[in-house]
Amino acid sequence: MGISSQGYRDSIRKLYEKNLINAEERDFLISVVGFRNIIVHEYATVNPIFVKKIMKNKEYRRLLEIAYNLREKAKNYWDC
């Protein structure tokens, strides 16, 4: 697709600039990266109620939707 990046946030920014994701998807992905950083790098304690809400509402499925949409858009760049 002609996109290179220097990390998660840069990837998100470039996907948005190329109109491959919308503003709502960009904001969601930025929050996911922030949450990931908290978990992986132990920047703070995670409220179990917050995690339970994510799981109960199946908010993680949004990642799959975005990934699927990106895959469909990327087909325009693949040699078939």
Side-chain angles (χ1 to χ4, degrees), residues 13-26:
R13 180 182 59 80
K14 289 182 178 183
L15 289 169
Y16 178 71
E17 288 173 354
K18 295 265 189 186
N19 294 315
L20 295 169
I21 59 174
N22 63 37
E24 184 272 326
E25 292 167 329
R26 176 200 62 202

Side-chain angles (χ1 to χ4, degrees), residues 36-63:
R36 175 230 174 249
N37 289 342
I38 288 170
I39 298 294
V40 171
H41 301 293
E42 299 180 49
Y43 291 143
T45 58
V46 176
N47 185 336
I49 294 170
F50 180 71
V51 174
K52 186 176 180 177
K53 177 185 166 269
I54 291 170
M55 299 304 288
K56 180 181 177 188
N57 296 333
K58 299 179 182 175
E59 295 174 18
Y60 53 86
R61 288 184 175 180
R62 186 74 179 116
L63 283 173

Side-chain angles (χ1 to χ4, degrees), residues 2-4 6-7 10 12 16 20 23-24 26 31 44-45 48 53 55 58-59 61 64 68-69 71 76 78:
I3 301 172
S4 62
Q6 300 293 321
D10 189 42
I12 295 165
Y16 178 71
L20 295 169
E24 184 272 326
R26 176 200 62 202
S31 70
T45 58
K53 177 185 166 269
M55 299 304 288
K58 299 179 182 175
E59 295 174 18
R61 288 184 175 180
L64 295 174
Y68 177 78
N69 289 335
R71 188 180 124 223
N76 295 326
W78 294 342

